[in-house]
Amino acid sequence: MRPFEYVRASDTDAATAALSAMPQAQYLAGGSNLLDLMKEDVERPTRLVDITQLPLREIQRTRSGISIGALATNTDTANHPLIRENYPLLTQAIVAGASAQLRNMATNGGNLLQRTRCNYFYDTAMSCNKREAGTGCGAREGLNRNSAILGWSDACVATYPGDMATALYALDAKVLVRTPDGRQRLIGIGDFHRLPGDTPQRDNTLEHGDLVVSIELPVPASGFARHSHYLKVRDRASYAFAMVSVAAALDIDGSRIRQARVVLGSVAHKPWRSAEAEAVLVGQRADEATFRRAAEAALRDARPLAHNAYKVELGQRSVVLALMRAARLA
C-alpha cells in the first residue's frame, strides 16, 4: 500500500472541499472495496477523506417514498422495517451479497460505487483499460468466463458485481448527490452507472468531488412488495459474486400483469434492465409460458465471448425462475 494523506471530514462542505482540492483523493466510508484495491495497488489515492462522521445514516419516510442515507450500512438497511415491509426485493438483494461481516461494514453509497471484480482489473501485471486507460483489455481475448455478454465494448468486457444496485434498478431509485459547490442533484439509477464505451475507467456519471448523500426510493407499484424476487446464481452458496442474478417484480391484477420489472446483474458493465422483457410481460397472463418469452427477449441481444456463452442460457433460466417465484408459482 502506498503512502496517503488522511483527512477526517466534520461536515459535507468540508468533505467535498477536501476531496475536490486533490485530483487523486477518494472518499473513505466502510472501505470494504477501496482498501482491498489499495492493498493490491490497483487504487492509488494520494488522500483519503473519511466521511464516516457525517450525518448520512438515516432511513426515513418522505413525501414520495423512502430515503436511505448513503452511510447507512447494508445490514441496517436490509433489516429496517420500512425496507422489509415496502421493498422486500431490496432486502433480498442485500442479504444475497457478501458476508454478514462485510454487510456490517459496507455502506449503501460505497456499495453503489464498488468496482468490478474482473481478474484482469485486479492483476496489475495484466492489461486493463479500466485500471489504466489505453493498455488494452486482457479479458477480451483472454479468460472471460465471468465477463459481460451485454453492452460490452472492445475496450472493456468487465461486469458490475453488486447485488443491491440490481434491485434498485427494478425499484426506479434515484441517487441524491451533493456537488463541491453545495448544489444537490438527483440522478436516476439507470443513468448512474455507465456502459464502458471508449472510457471504461469511468464506472459512473459522478464528477470528482461529488458526494452521494442518499438513495431515494419512490412508492412502489401496489403489487411489487407482494410479487418480487431476487435470484443470485453463483459458483458456491456464499462468499461469491454472481455469475448471473435477476431482480424481478410484478404487479398482478387477477392473473394479468399490469407492470413488470426485470433487471439482470453480472451480465454487463452496469445492472441491465430489460425493457424488452418487460414489454413482453405487461398485459399477459402470469404463467411460465409468458415468462419464457420474456426471458428470450431479455437475452436476445446477448453477445457472448469465448468462455461465457453459458450465461445466455443461464440468464434465460434465471429470468424464468425469478419471475415464477415473484408470481408465487414456484
Side-chain angles (χ1 to χ4, degrees), residues 226-227 251-258 284-286 327:
R226 296 191 304 275
H227 295 293
D251 182 14
I252 302 175
D253 181 14
S255 62
R256 295 284 172 178
I257 301 168
R258 291 189 296 197
Q284 303 300 309
R285 289 181 59 85

Side-chain angles (χ1 to χ4, degrees), residues 23-191:
Q24 299 303 316
Q26 294 197 40
Y27 291 121
L28 174 66
S32 55
N33 186 205
L34 175 59
L35 295 181
D36 280 347
L37 291 171
M38 290 173 65
K39 292 173 185 176
E40 296 291 339
D41 203 33
V42 175
E43 294 283 6
R44 304 170 182 178
T46 52
R47 171 185 288 175
L48 290 184
V49 180
D50 186 335
I51 58 173
T52 56
Q53 303 304 306
L54 302 187
L56 302 177
R57 298 181 182 274
E58 194 166 5
I59 300 173
Q60 60 185 338
R61 287 191 185 276
T62 64
R63 291 183 178 179
S64 57
I66 292 175
S67 178
I68 305 171
L71 292 180
T73 67
N74 285 177
T75 295
D76 288 344
T77 303
N79 291 330
H80 197 283
L82 288 175
I83 303 302
R84 294 178 69 90
E85 178 181 353
N86 298 284
Y87 309 93
L89 180 66
L90 181 55
T91 292
Q92 291 176 17
I94 292 174
V95 171
S99 64
Q101 294 91 333
L102 284 171
R103 293 195 298 270
N104 288 341
M105 288 296 298
T107 63
N108 295 323
N111 194 302
L112 284 179
L113 298 174
Q114 66 181 297
R115 309 210 68 189
T116 185
R117 264 59 179 192
C118 176
N119 291 333
Y120 291 85
F121 175 70
Y122 268 78
D123 189 343
T124 56
M126 297 291 184
S127 59
C128 174
N129 288 320
K130 179 175 284 296
R131 189 185 64 250
E132 188 175 352
T135 60
C137 175
R140 175 71 177 83
E141 301 294 339
L143 299 176
N144 45 43
R145 177 176 180 268
N146 294 319
S147 298
I149 58 172
L150 290 163
W152 55 265
S153 70
D154 288 340
C156 182
V157 296
T159 60
Y160 175 81
D163 295 290
M164 184 185 78
T166 305
L168 292 175
Y169 274 61
L171 296 170
D172 294 316
K174 297 182 185 296
V175 183
L176 181 63
V177 173
R178 184 182 176 87
T179 64
D181 62 4
R183 293 182 297 109
Q184 290 190 336
R185 60 190 176 108
L186 273 173
I187 305 173
I189 190 68
D191 297 321

Side-chain angles (χ1 to χ4, degrees), residues 244-300:
V244 170
S245 63
V246 180
L250 299 170
D251 182 14
I252 302 175
D253 181 14
S255 62
R256 295 284 172 178
I257 301 168
R258 291 189 296 197
Q259 293 189 60
R261 298 288 185 272
V262 177
V263 184
L264 290 93
S266 297
V267 297
H269 200 257
K270 59 186 286 186
W272 191 271
R273 181 172 169 182
S274 176
E276 296 82 0
E278 294 172 6
V280 169
L281 292 167
V282 173
Q284 303 300 309
R285 289 181 59 85
D287 58 27
E288 186 172 352
T290 299
F291 299 157
R292 289 188 180 279
R293 293 196 299 273
E296 291 173 1
L299 278 302
R300 186 172 295 137

Side-chain angles (χ1 to χ4, degrees), residues 188-203:
I189 190 68
D191 297 321
F192 186 81
H193 300 99
R194 300 177 69 256
L195 291 176
D198 295 327
T199 54
Q201 68 274 19
R202 293 197 62 192
D203 292 339

